[in-house]
Structure formats: structure tokens, C-alpha cells
Amino acid sequence: MVYDQAYARRAKGDLLLSLRGVSKQFGAVTALSDIELDVRAGEVVALVGDNGAGKSTLVKVLAGVHQPTAGTIEYLGQTVTLDTPGKALELGIATVFQDLALCENLDVVANLFLGHEVSPWRLDEVQMEVRAWTLLQELAARIPSVREPIASLSGGQRQTVAIARSLLLDPQIIMLDEPTAALGVAQTAEVLNLIERVRDRGHGVILISHNMEDVRAVADRIVVLRLGRNNGIFTNDNSHEELVAAITGASDNSVSRRAARKLDEPAHESIGDAR
Amino acid sequence: MNETAPKPPPSGNLDRGDTRVRHDVGIRGAVRSFLDRVQSGDLGMLPVFVGLLIISTVFSALNPIFLAPNNLVNLLFDAAAVGLIALGIVCVLLLGEIDLSIGSMSGLSSALLGVLWVQKGLPIPLAIAGAIAAGALTGMTYGLLRNRFEMPSFVATLAGLLALLGMQLYILGPTGSVNLPFASPLVRFGQIYIMPMWLSYLMAIIPGVLMIVGGMRTMKRRADANLSSSGMSVVVLKAVVLTAALLFAVWYLGMGRGVPWMFAVFVLFVVIMDYALRRTKWGRSLFAVGGNAEAARRSGINVKRVRLSAFVVCSSFAALGGVFAASRLASASQQAGTGDVNLNAIAAAVIGGTSLFGGRGSAWSALLGVLVIQAISNGLTLLNLSSSLRYMITGGVLAIAVIVDSLARRSRASHGRA
């Protein structure tokens, strides 16, 4: 069974997933070309890039939604084909999509175990509740009650439930698509803490985000995509400007020009005053 | 979020770690959380009790016979058929779909029963099985139309309403009705068979005992697993109240003919469906698909199969309801299943607390709702009102039930309850 392989958690730093020369074409459009990506256990890899850089396509390839047109995906040292979402999940690659896909009318326990209930003909609510609390406490997640419907939870709490649900099958790798996009300041911090705890449990984390601050706060490596190609791998040591330059493809870009204009502005005003 | 981290819980229970949550313990806690729920629009079974109270006050004031034991026995006889149909529609409503052809389905099923049994001479069980198989087949068709062609269920079943009615007329032939023999067990089941009193009393006590035993077992398991529970006092109180109410009901009905077997069989089906909906993976997936089909799909639930199963269960129950109706009337006629049967069954489920918008409901809503609907219909019959007025009033009741459902849903949304 594939599960046995997945359940043995790898030691920190072991290579979990490596993509070599992965390309994806939609008709005449090349969404991804020659992508290289490594994910190790206990590591947060951030995937950043502008709109249309190919982040979502790459996520969907790894989630088994799209099949690459070329290239190999090596998972735990073996070449694998991720032809269905179920296959990816079974191998141990879990995805938390941006719309969390929770059932608002069901409580937290029911959502966590949805589709994987304990004893299908006589649901074991007690055991499910215990496992839910254990998992949430391991993540130091703050959910007031697991017997409340999801509708009563805040955005951050829902994100927590969605992440916890993806961890229930004990995947090797968890992919988070824009986990902080809809969250406030405090809730973002909570989710970032959660990501660090998931990493410390030994999972490999792939984080897709537009928010450079969040990315720099938690990522061990930052992989930049641009127009469907790798455009450099950065760490927190690299400056913000270098990152932006890699994302936009030039050091003279709209972001840098805007920054420069901001610097100049006081001077303009003082000229105006002098007149 | 803030710096004051939640204190370790005094009781040490797994689920008591968060100090922000109020934990309602004991009877006072139960009352408080009940009031909270009602205020936020989670009405539960409240509309049923209010409705029954109003109905019985008004009708018994207009005609004292309404509350006479034997009238109530008749009411229970009449309720079983529509109740079964309502039980089926609960499954479909949970998905946020609808089946408008349940009336026609029950009519077709009673016609099939009459033709297969009386005209073709098949044994009764075989004829009943044939009728239910026709129901299952119809449900499968609706499921396929919904899954394959994305046909909205309300259009598919509206088409089905007409097609099934046509089939009913076709198989009944030019005579238009089949009389079922009065001496047969099936008709006696629908008109005469009454539970013995000792059995009725036993049946009235069993639910309370099961509640207490089950409650104690759950509490012990939760305590073993280091989870909190809200205490036995509430469970005991509920069990005592329920047992007292059931014993009173049996005693009161016993002053007349007693509890009909037909109604007891209906209640048995409600109990089975309640278990299926609450305690099995299938039931959980119905709620999940009704709440968020995309989420259910991504959790690995086969949404199409769940939909198909719901339509099959619904139409099969409608067929069984048709068999019950035929045995109650001792005939299978062109009128069976027409008129207000459709809407009565849907109204019963909605009045009982099953939402038309999907994701909320229970098997008990069919039982409680059908009592309300049947009480209204029975009371209006006692007043000798023409069917024109009865239709108008039943239509009004359905409208009110749906309005209550919509308002409660809006209130729940603003109070953060699904």
C-alpha cells in the first residue's frame, strides 16, 4: 500500500519531491517550461511570481489536477505520475486551495473527517472528537469549540481548520494556496505560526503567496517564477528589491520607479512651497 | 492573537481549553443554550409544537370531536402514508434538491399494487416489491438526469410528475380504479390492525430507557476519552418528559381503538432513517453535499453517487407511501396521489424543520411535520369545508412554513450559524 510509504515521516532535510524539466502546455500557450523545484522535509518553500507566472498551474500539476506535458516528478526517490487528485492525496501531497472548501453547516469535527469518517456504519464521534482536539492542540490552534458549525468561525479559524484537515491523513507535503490573502493582521500572524508548526512537525510546505512580507517571514527558500520559467531561488538574505526585480524581470520596474518617485516627492513639494 | 494565552483548563478536559467559550452544563445550561439557538434562528422543533398547540386549540373549539381519541387514531392512520413520502423527500431536500413528483409516484405505485396484486394475481409481497422497484427506478432516472445532463431537479421531477401520472392512468386502464379486497391483510393493515395495549405501553417506555442508557454510555466514553459532557440531568429530564408524553398518548389513544400498526411501522422507518442520516457516513455525506458540494467533492465524496442514492431513497419511500395509501383507502384509483399529496409531503418536511435550501434537516421532521399537516387536514374535514377551501388553507400553511424557513435561515446567517 502506498500509505505505508507516506506514513513513515522523513527526517528533516530529506528530499521529498523534485521536479525536473516540468513543462505544461495548454494548446499554443506554454504555462510552464522547464521548471525545477525541490522540496525537503521540514522546509517551507515559497512559490512567488506575478499574475500569470504559472504558480497555480504548478500547484495543479502537483495536486494531480493537470498532467505535465514534459518532465519528471520524483517523489521520495521514485518517479511518479500524478494523474488524479486522489492519487496525489494518496501519495501524501495535500493541497489547501484558496477557497477553503469547508461545509459551513457541519461542525469542525465533521469537516476534519469528511470523507474519511471513523467507522462508516456507526460513526465514532468520540474518537473523531478526541483526534480532532489532539491534532488542533499539536498545532496550538485556537478553535473555541469543535462542535460549533464552521459558519460561526472567523476567517483565520477556518483557514486553521482547512490546514488541520489536510494534515489529518499525515501527508509528506502540504501545499497552501494564498493562505493569508483574506486575513487580517492578527489572523495572518496566527496562520504563519501554524505554518511554522507544520514545518516543525517535519512536513514539507509549499507556500504560494503574493504577500512578500509573509513569504519572507516564514520561507526557507523563495522560488521565483516568471512567465512560466524558474527565475531564481532566493533566501531571506536577499533584499526585497532583488526579489521584486526577479518577479517583475527587471531592476527598472514599476515597483522600483514608484519607490523612487516616493523618495523624490518631498523635493517637489518644497519647490512648490518656494514659489 | 492577544498575549493572554488561554489558561490550562481547570477540569483538564481536552475540549475545555478555551476560556472564551461558555460551557452550558446541566438543565439551566440546556435551557440557556436552547434560548440562544431559538434567538439566532435555529428553531428546531419549536414551530411544530407551537403549530400543534394552535391547531388543536382552534379546531377543538370549533368541533370538540377533533380531540376525541378515535379521531386521533384515524389521524394517525391517515398520517402514515404522507409521512413516509415526507420521510423520503427529507433526503432530497437535504441536498438542496427537490422532487415534485412524489405524489404521482405514490399514485403510480398504488396503481401498480392494484394491478399486479388484484388483476394479475401476484402475491402481496411481490406486488409491493414491484411497486417499490418502480420507485427506485424512477429515482435512478432523476439521479441520472441530474448528474449526466445537469438538469435542475425541479424541472426533471416536474416532467416526471406528468409522465408518472400518465403511466398511472395507463395501467389503470379504462375502468380507472381497482378495488382491493377488504378481507386481505394489506387492507386490514391499513384500516383495522391495532397494536396490543401492552406492546404500545412497552414501545412508549423503550425510547426513554434507550435515551438514558445511551446517554450514560456516551458520557462514560467521553469521560474515558477526557472529553467533557453536559451532564446526565438534561438527558434524564428529556427521557422522563418524553416517556411521560408517550405514555399519556398511548393511554389516551387506548380510550379509543389504540395505536395503529400502520403508524408504528412508519415510526420504525423514521427511526431507521434517523440513524442512517446521523450516524452513518452516507448520512454525513448528504449533509456535506447539501452544505457545499464542491467541498464534499474535494474531500473525496462521490457527489454524483450521493445524489443518485438520495433520489432513489426518496422515490422508493414515495412508492411505499403509495402502497400504504392504497391499503388505507382499499383501492387504487386515478385520484391516488393527485391533488395535495405532493405539497402536503413537502410541507410536512419543511414544517418539521428540514430546510428547502439544503444541508439542514432530520428524519424526525417528517414525523412531526406530518402530524401538523394531517391535523390541519383532519380538522378542516371535520368542519365539513369543501376541498376548495382546504386546498387554499393548506397552500397558505405551506407558504407560511417556507417563510419561517427563509427568515430563520437569514437570522442564522447573521448569527454565524449554518
Side-chain angles (χ1 to χ4, degrees), chain A residues 2-10 14-20 37-41 62 72-82 87-94 169-174 203-204 206:
Chain A
V2 200
Y3 269 121
D4 304 335
Q5 201 180 19
Y7 269 112
R9 185 83 52 70
R10 298 302 152 120
D14 281 4
L15 190 61
L16 296 176
L17 179 77
S18 65
L19 272 58
R20 290 289 170 266
L37 177 72
D38 288 331
V39 181
R40 294 167 192 281
L62 290 177
T72 57
I73 300 173
E74 218 169 85
Y75 178 73
L76 301 178
Q78 291 170 346
T79 307
V80 293
T81 326
L82 304 170
K87 179 82 175 292
L89 210 59
E90 198 178 304
L91 284 171
I93 304 176
L169 294 178
D170 209 15
Q172 297 281 359
I173 293 178
I174 163 168
H203 302 275
I206 301 177

Side-chain angles (χ1 to χ4, degrees), chain A residues 89 97-107 109-111 114-117 119-130 133-134 137 142-154 157 165 186-187 190, chain B residues 1-2 4-6 13-18 20-21 23 217-218 221-222 225-228 275 278-282 284-285 287-301 358-360 415-418:
Chain A
L89 210 59
F97 287 99
Q98 194 171 354
D99 58 325
L100 303 171
L102 299 168
C103 291
E104 296 210 347
N105 56 331
L106 297 179
D107 63 20
V109 176
N111 266 288
L114 199 59
H116 309 282
E117 285 88 354
S119 63
W121 294 104
R122 194 167 198 286
L123 297 186
D124 192 341
E125 295 289 348
V126 173
Q127 197 193 331
M128 287 198 278
E129 189 168 337
V130 169
W133 278 118
T134 316
Q137 283 180 354
R142 299 176 43 132
I143 301 290
S145 161
V146 292
R147 286 299 177 194
E148 288 287 314
I150 294 292
S152 66
L153 300 185
S154 70
Q157 288 168 338
R165 182 172 71 178
Q187 293 184 339
E190 286 276 307
Chain B
M1 283 172 211
N2 51 25
T4 51
N13 277 331
L14 259 179
D15 52 349
R16 291 290 171 86
D18 201 317
R20 291 169 301 172
V21 186
H23 295 285
R217 264 191 56 203
T218 311
R221 281 201 65 198
R222 287 181 68 89
N226 203 12
L227 293 171
S228 69
Y275 181 87
R278 285 193 309 115
R279 299 298 304 276
T280 69
K281 189 173 177 171
W282 175 75
R284 187 57 54 84
S285 55
F287 281 92
V289 172
N292 187 341
E294 177 61 17
R297 194 182 65 78
R298 286 199 205 148
S299 309
I301 291 174
R360 283 180 62 88
H415 284 84
R417 283 173 184 274

Side-chain angles (χ1 to χ4, degrees), chain B residues 68-382:
Chain B
N70 264 336
N71 186 50
L72 295 185
V73 172
N74 276 337
L75 198 155
L76 294 189
F77 263 117
D78 291 335
V82 180
L84 278 177
I85 305 176
L87 189 57
I89 196 77
V90 166
C91 296
V92 170
L93 290 183
L94 275 179
L95 295 182
E97 309 278 344
I98 199 158
D99 186 342
L100 295 172
S101 72
I102 40 181
S104 302
M105 188 60 238
S106 74
L108 174 62
S109 142
S110 60
L112 269 174
L113 176 80
V115 170
L116 289 179
W117 171 37
V118 180
Q119 292 187 351
K120 305 276 174 209
L122 255 62
I124 297 178
L126 227 57
I128 294 178
I132 293 176
L137 208 65
T138 310
M140 220 175 274
T141 313
Y142 293 148
L144 287 177
L145 287 176
R146 178 71 182 80
N147 287 336
R148 272 295 160 72
F149 305 110
E150 307 260 310
M151 197 166 170
S153 56
F154 110 90
V155 180
T157 58
L158 204 56
L161 185 154
L162 212 57
L164 294 177
L165 182 62
M167 236 181 287
Q168 178 185 353
L169 300 183
Y170 178 77
I171 65 169
L172 280 174
T175 49
S177 77
V178 178
N179 288 324
L180 311 186
F182 270 98
S184 66
L186 189 64
V187 173
R188 293 170 71 84
F189 170 75
Q191 299 191 335
I192 294 168
Y193 286 159
I194 295 286
M195 273 168 103
M197 276 320 273
W198 63 268
L199 190 59
S200 313
Y201 278 119
L202 189 66
M203 289 294 163
I205 295 171
I206 286 177
V209 173
L210 283 183
M211 265 173 90
I212 291 182
V213 172
M216 270 163 62
R217 264 191 56 203
T218 311
M219 207 170 90
K220 184 165 179 317
R221 281 201 65 198
R222 287 181 68 89
D224 288 348
N226 203 12
L227 293 171
S228 69
S229 44
S230 55
M232 271 312 279
S233 54
V234 183
V235 178
V236 171
L237 184 73
K238 274 187 190 167
V240 167
V241 171
L242 180 71
T243 310
L246 288 178
L247 284 176
F248 174 77
V250 168
W251 169 78
Y252 191 75
L253 292 171
M255 297 204 304
R257 290 159 66 196
V259 183
W261 266 112
M262 200 183 203
F263 190 74
V265 171
F266 164 52
V267 174
L268 179 71
F269 275 113
V270 172
V271 170
I272 293 172
M273 280 307 289
D274 180 54
Y275 181 87
L277 290 180
R278 285 193 309 115
R279 299 298 304 276
T280 69
K281 189 173 177 171
W282 175 75
R284 187 57 54 84
S285 55
L286 280 185
F287 281 92
V289 172
N292 187 341
E294 177 61 17
R297 194 182 65 78
R298 286 199 205 148
S299 309
I301 291 174
N302 188 338
V303 175
K304 292 187 172 179
R305 208 163 60 195
V306 169
R307 268 200 206 118
L308 188 72
S309 69
F311 279 112
V312 168
V313 169
C314 174
S315 295
S316 304
F317 267 118
L320 189 61
V323 171
F324 272 41
S327 74
R328 175 81 187 121
L329 297 172
S331 83
S333 71
Q334 291 183 338
Q335 272 73 48
T338 58
D340 52 357
V341 174
N342 238 338
L343 285 190
N344 274 351
I346 296 172
V350 174
I351 290 172
T354 295
S355 175
L356 281 172
F357 307 98
R360 283 180 62 88
S362 77
W364 293 106
S365 67
L367 173 65
L368 295 168
V370 82
L371 288 181
V372 174
I373 285 289
Q374 209 59 54
I376 294 173
S377 147
N378 181 294
L380 293 175
T381 313
L382 283 183

